[in-house]
Amino acid sequence: MRQLADIPHPDAKITLFSWNGKYLIKLEKGPFEQTYKVSEMDVTSEDDVRALLDEEFVAAAVLRFTQMRHDLQAAFERHDIY
């Protein structure tokens, strides 16, 4: 796996990788991460992948991090794990 770029964003760490014929977009916030795989056949360049990372996409991912935190906390509570 080859790291192509760190993409600055105030709400999440965003890293772009190239691996096995795919671009991987990795977003991290705290203990959570999301990875999106985009086939190199579906885009013409790394710039196309960067274009996907518009504010709407990143805002939805950040909201998903909130839901992930909620889901994990709910699982802890269901099983009385604190």
Side-chain angles (χ1 to χ4, degrees):
M1 186 176 329
R2 184 169 58 106
Q3 182 174 337
L4 301 175
D6 284 318
I7 301 169
H9 196 279
D11 296 322
K13 179 180 179 191
I14 304 173
T15 310
L16 182 60
F17 297 95
S18 176
W19 179 72
N20 203 21
K22 296 177 183 66
Y23 289 103
L24 279 68
I25 303 166
K26 181 177 177 183
L27 295 96
E28 299 174 80
K29 185 166 180 153
F32 303 105
E33 67 180 49
Q34 300 172 50
T35 302
Y36 298 84
K37 297 177 183 177
V38 177
S39 172
E40 290 178 354
M41 303 296 286
D42 292 339
V43 293
T44 58
S45 69
E46 181 181 328
D47 289 337
D48 286 350
V49 178
R50 287 173 178 262
L52 296 173
L53 297 172
D54 60 14
E55 282 305 311
E56 186 175 346
F57 178 88
V58 175
V62 169
L63 184 60
R64 197 166 295 111
F65 282 126
T66 302
Q67 186 62 47
M68 291 168 74
R69 183 174 32 258
H70 172 78
D71 294 344
L72 182 60
Q73 184 61 41
F76 269 83
E77 291 172 6
R78 280 194 307 276
H79 298 284
D80 294 322
I81 302 171
Y82 297 101

